[in-house]
Amino acid sequence: MSDESHDPAMREALDWAAHMQAADFDDWEAHIEWLEADATHPALYRRATKAMSAGLSMLQPIGAGSVPLAANDTEENVGTHRPQTGWWAGAGVALAATITAFFILPHQGAEPARSIRTAPGASRNVTLADGTSLTLNGDTQVTVADAAQRRIVLHRGEVFLRVVHDAEHPFEVVVGDRLFRDVGTEFNISMQSTATRLTVAEGAVALDPDGANLRIDAGDAVTIMGAQVVIGKVASRNVGSWREGRLVYANDRVDRVASDLTRSLGVSVVVSPRLADERFTGVLPLRQGPGEVVRRLADLLQASAVKTESGWSVDVKQVRDGTTAPYSSGR
């Protein structure tokens, strides 16, 4: 078998893989630009990271304790420094020989899992080694497992996915005890304390593929609350609309709207128990200030919005005698 480590494109991929082992690596934007610059780069990078992982693992027993931990085992940041060509070779003859051997011997090893997080009110685009893209909404955390498994775990928040389809190696998303498997799709998944919601823009997603194997097609929305699964409809163009600066609702619970606003605006939005179970239909533009967005929600609900120390509170309107005004949900 030929030694691919001498190929210029492969050496560039190895440079990225090795540079990203540094604890202070912060060049994620440039890395994503490189991945997207050529259709072959994601596959090359995937092989390079496997080679680097295998090389470091084989060096561990002989005292490579000074090798820095992978920066992509922790939260990713954005920076401006590009890798220095040949950095990986400077790690030593033994490591270079191990990496070279990886391309000559049968492939083994896997990329380490890494955690990706966003702060409330912030969003982030990430391209995985297989070319699949993730857009994370605010206050979201995912773990990217071994790329060979093509799997992520959503721990909290919301993510929109454009999956590179591979029938032999389907992409999977784990949310709690639920498994979602790609059938060639663009879809959005959000996780809240009481419910998980999936909406599909293109293709289909299989829910619980090894059990009930429920197929969710484009234009479908599924809400999971414990053992209860509710399927409805959604306009495909509105799937993941938060990425375009708007939230679109059709007969959705008000407490879900408040949760979405908290995640997207980065400020706490709380609705009173008297409004939480009510239903809301409408569009909320996110590019305005948080106060304007929350007041718009309150106006559409015929409720009142009050600024608090931690954010905003929405409640039914009070009338002069201290009682509450009748609430009309418009249902």
Side-chain angles (χ1 to χ4, degrees), residues 163-184:
V163 177
V164 174
H165 187 59
D166 182 344
E168 295 184 359
H169 304 92
F171 195 94
E172 297 179 335
V173 181
V174 179
V175 185
D177 60 355
R178 296 286 184 170
L179 176 65
F180 300 86
R181 180 173 294 164
D182 160 64
V183 191

Side-chain angles (χ1 to χ4, degrees), residues 233-252:
K233 291 294 181 181
V234 62
S236 296
R237 65 181 181 278
N238 291 333
V239 174
S241 62
W242 54 268
R243 298 171 299 130
E244 300 168 354
R246 70 180 190 279
L247 297 176
V248 183
Y249 298 98
N251 198 38
D252 286 294

Side-chain angles (χ1 to χ4, degrees), residues 154-158 175-176 189-193 195-197 263:
L154 176 62
H155 300 284
R156 70 172 183 270
E158 183 171 27
V175 185
I189 294 183
S190 62
M191 182 183 187
Q192 297 173 318
S193 58
T196 296
R197 181 175 172 85
R263 178 167 52 239

